[in-house]
Amino acid sequence: MIAFEKASFGYDGHPVLEDVSLTLEAGGFYFLTGPSGSGKTTFLKLCSLALLPRGGRVAFFGEDATLLDRDRIALMRRRMGMVHQDCQFIDHLSVRRNIALPLEIAGRRTPAADKDIEDLMGWVALGHRADAYPPELSGGERQRAALARAVMLSPDLLIADEPTGNVDREMGERILSLLIELNRLGRTVLIATHDLELIRTAKREVSARVLRLADGQVRLAGHEL
Amino acid sequence: MLALLRGDPSADSTVPPSGATGHLTTLAAAAMALLALIAIAAAQTAGRVADDWAGALDGAATLEIAADPATAETAAERALMILRETPGIDSARRIGADEARALLAPWMGDTSMLADADLPLMLAVEEAPELDRAALELRLAGEFDDAVYLRHDRWSGTVTAAAGRLRLLALGALALTFVVTAAVVTLAARAALAMNRPVIATLRLIGAQDSYIARAFVRRFTLRTLLGAALGTGAGTALLLALASGGALPAAAPTGPAGWLALLAVPPAFGLLAFAATRAAAFHELRRVR
C-alpha cells in the first residue's frame, strides 16, 4: 500500500529520517511509536503526501509520490482518511457538514449517503452534536468528529496521529474499537501514539505491528510488545 | 462560465464570507467601470468630432486674389473660367462681399467697419480627388500676381491629429481602468485566499482538488466585480445622458448600436477580467498549500 525505499527527509539540512525502507501492507494494523522529536509527525506527513522524501522513494498504491501532480495527490487522499492531532475543521460549517465534506468534494453526496452520515455520527456518538459547530466541541468530540470524517469515504488507509490523546480511557477504548472494526473490514490502519496501554489493548484484538522510530530509523518491532 | 454563474453550493459555502474585502472589490469595480465609461465616451466623442470636422473640410479650398475693385469682376470671371476648365474641380463659386464679411465675423466681431474696405476676391472651390493641385497652382500663379490657393484640409489635418491623440489618450485611460481592476481583484482574491489558508489546508487534507477550492473564490470575486461594474455602468450611462441632454456636452451620449454596445460591454468585460485574475491568483496561492 505504502512502500518506503531508502526514503530520507530532513529540515534545513538536519536529517529526521534516513534511508527508511519498509512497506505498509494492505489490511495491516500499525502503531508508530517513538520519543518526542523522533520524526513521527514527519513520517505521518510522508504517509499522507503532505511531504515528499528528499532522498529515496515513497510509493502509494504503486505510484511514486514525487511523480504525482496536485490533482492526483487529491485523488490519492480520498483513498486515505487522516486524523490529525489538531483535528482541522472548517469552523463556520456544522459538524454534520464537516463530516459530510469528503463526500461532497468527491461528488458522492446523495440522499442515500445522508443516512450513512447520520449512522456514522451515531457510530462516533456525535448524533446529538450534528448541528453544533467545531469550536463548540470538546477535545474528545473533535477527535471523534475527525475520525468520522476520515472514514466517510471508506478509505483504504486510515492514518491517525494520537487519536486518543484528548479523550478519557473509556472514549479512547471506544475509538480504538472503531479503528479495529475498520481494520476487520479490510482497511489498513496506521496510528501514531505514546499510549502503550492502547497498543496492548489493540494487540489483544488484532495482529498489530509496532513501528519504532529512533535515530532517524523506523524498525518493525513485531509482536513482542 | 455558465457553471460559474450557476454556482456550486457545496464549494461556495466552504469558504467563509469575504466581508470587507468583497465589498471593496464591488466598490472598486463600480468606480473603475464609471471611469471606463467616461474614457469610452471621450474616445467616441473625439473620433466623432474629428470625423465631422474632417468631413466638412475635406476637399474644400478657397482661392484668394488681391484684385483692385476695378478689375475684380474681370479677375473673378477669369478665375472661375480657369477653375471650371480644370479637371478635378467639382464646383467653384464667387464668395460675395456680404458672405465674406460673415465669414470674418467669428474672428472680428463687429464687421461694420469693413463695409467700405476692399476685401480680396474670394472663390469657394470644391475639389475632387483626381485634381492635380500643383498644376492648378502653377496656372493660377501664371494668371494672377497675388493668387493664394488655400486648402482647408491643412487645418483639418491638425484637428484630426489632435483628435486622434485625444482618442489614444482616452483608450489608454480605458486600458488603465482594466489594469487597475485586475490588480484590485487579484489583491483582494489573494488576501481572501491567505486569510482562508487553514480552510484550504483542511480541504486539501480531505481530497479537494484545486479546481474545487478555486471555484468558490473565483465565483465570489467574479460576481462581486460584475455587480460593481453593472452599478458603475448604470451610473456612468446616466451621467453621460444627463451631460448630453443638459447641453453641457452634447456629443457625450453614445450614438448608434456600436456606441451603446461599447458601453454595455463594460460589465461582461470586467467580469471576464475578474474571472481570469481571480483564477490565476487562486491557482498561484493554492500551490503554497500542499
Side-chain angles (χ1 to χ4, degrees):
Chain A
M1 178 156 289
I2 302 181
F4 285 70
E5 293 172 21
K6 293 184 178 274
S8 301
F9 192 87
Y11 297 98
D12 301 327
H14 175 69
V16 177
L17 296 174
E18 287 184 283
D19 292 336
V20 173
S21 294
L22 67 93
T23 300
L24 300 181
E25 303 287 352
F29 199 112
Y30 299 90
F31 283 104
L32 180 66
T33 65
S36 292
S38 60
K40 290 197 299 295
T41 301
T42 300
F43 184 81
L44 292 185
K45 283 185 173 177
L46 285 167
C47 287
S48 61
L49 286 159
L51 293 175
L52 290 176
R54 299 274 163 86
R57 179 176 183 266
V58 180
F60 291 80
F61 307 102
E63 293 187 57
D64 188 335
T66 54
L67 302 179
L68 297 171
D69 62 21
R70 290 180 63 81
D71 279 351
R72 280 296 294 159
I73 288 173
L75 294 177
M76 204 63 93
R77 283 187 178 143
R78 293 181 193 174
R79 300 178 67 179
M80 307 173 187
M82 278 166 275
V83 182
H84 280 266
Q85 261 179 308
D86 56 359
C87 306
Q88 295 159 283
F89 290 107
I90 296 179
D91 287 345
H92 68 280
L93 299 182
S94 69
V95 171
R96 181 187 281 109
R97 271 296 303 281
N98 267 283
I99 291 174
L101 214 45
L103 277 178
E104 292 181 14
I105 286 169
R108 284 162 46 185
R109 184 154 189 190
T110 60
D114 285 351
K115 172 79 171 56
D116 294 341
I117 296 165
E118 298 305 320
D119 289 348
L120 194 55
M121 283 190 295
W123 187 62
V124 293
L126 280 177
H128 65 297
R129 303 290 274 153
D131 295 322
Y133 288 86
E136 299 166 11
L137 299 182
S138 68
E141 287 172 331
R142 288 174 71 85
Q143 294 273 13
R144 284 179 280 143
L147 180 63
R149 185 183 63 186
V151 301
M152 193 70 245
L153 288 177
S154 298
D156 297 314
L157 168 66
L158 191 109
I159 299 171
D161 192 1
E162 300 284 359
T164 58
N166 290 322
V167 297
D168 58 27
R169 172 62 51 192
E170 188 186 346
M171 187 50 69
E173 286 177 3
R174 186 180 172 81
I175 288 174
L176 179 64
S177 70
L178 297 177
L179 295 172
I180 290 172
E181 197 178 324
L182 275 173
N183 180 246
R184 285 181 176 144
L185 291 169
R187 314 298 181 210
T188 307
V189 177
L190 172 62
I191 302 169
T193 184
H194 285 104
D195 188 346
L196 294 181
E197 189 52 40
L198 184 78
I199 298 174
R200 289 192 191 100
T201 308
K203 285 172 78 69
R204 285 196 287 270
E205 302 281 335
V206 289
S207 174
R209 293 181 181 182
V210 179
L211 307 172
R212 279 201 181 128
L213 245 171
D215 302 324
Q217 298 293 314
V218 183
R219 294 191 176 83
L220 194 59
H223 299 263
E224 76 277 14
L225 197 80
Chain B
M1 199 66 180
L2 278 176
L4 176 90
L5 293 174
R6 212 167 33 239
D8 176 346
S10 167
D12 291 348
S13 62
T14 54
V15 181
S18 29
T21 318
H23 296 313
L24 280 176
T25 307
T26 308
L27 189 66
M32 286 299 123
L34 178 64
L35 291 176
L37 247 70
I38 291 171
I40 289 172
Q44 286 180 345
T45 304
R48 202 158 49 234
V49 168
D51 289 348
D52 289 350
W53 287 351
L57 299 175
D58 198 27
T62 303
L63 174 61
E64 286 181 24
I65 300 167
D68 64 58
T71 58
E73 284 303 317
T74 317
E77 290 297 320
R78 180 79 189 133
L80 279 171
M81 191 188 73
I82 291 170
L83 289 169
R84 283 168 187 157
E85 282 174 354
T86 305
I89 294 294
D90 279 346
S91 68
R93 65 177 180 82
R94 185 173 175 183
I95 298 173
D98 290 343
E99 192 183 349
R101 275 190 284 274
L103 286 172
L104 291 170
W107 285 273
M108 301 191 69
D110 181 12
T111 55
S112 56
M113 61 186 171
L114 297 174
D116 299 325
D118 291 336
L119 292 175
L121 172 64
M122 292 200 284
L123 291 97
V125 182
E126 289 295 326
E127 297 176 350
E130 65 270 21
L131 173 68
D132 182 348
R133 202 174 287 118
L136 173 64
E137 282 174 350
L138 270 176
R139 186 166 179 204
L140 290 171
E143 291 284 339
F144 306 101
D145 290 339
D146 294 309
V148 180
Y149 188 82
L150 289 171
R151 286 163 50 212
H152 295 185
D153 63 3
R154 60 192 280 197
W155 294 294
S156 78
T158 311
V159 169
T160 308
R165 282 193 289 274
L166 192 61
R167 190 175 201 173
L168 272 181
L169 275 176
L171 291 176
L174 177 65
L176 203 59
T177 63
F178 278 79
V179 171
V180 171
T181 304
V184 168
V185 172
T186 300
L187 282 176
R190 280 194 175 185
L193 284 153
M195 208 164 60
N196 287 295
R197 199 165 287 170
V199 171
I200 293 168
T202 302
L203 290 170
R204 286 291 300 172
L205 175 79
I206 57 177
Q209 292 176 311
D210 287 349
S211 54
Y212 176 92
I213 303 169
R215 204 176 299 153
F217 289 96
V218 171
R219 183 168 188 273
R220 187 166 297 178
F221 283 95
T222 302
L223 291 182
R224 286 207 167 275
T225 307
L226 259 177
L227 173 67
L231 291 173
T233 301
T237 306
L239 175 70
L240 293 178
L241 290 176
L243 283 172
S245 64
L249 199 56
T255 52
W260 282 104
L261 204 63
L263 299 192
L264 295 177
V266 168
F270 271 47
L272 278 174
L273 186 72
F275 173 79
T278 316
R279 195 174 157 79
F283 280 96
H284 178 81
E285 287 294 316
L286 285 172
R287 277 199 293 273
R288 295 171 191 263
V289 181
R290 201 166 153 76

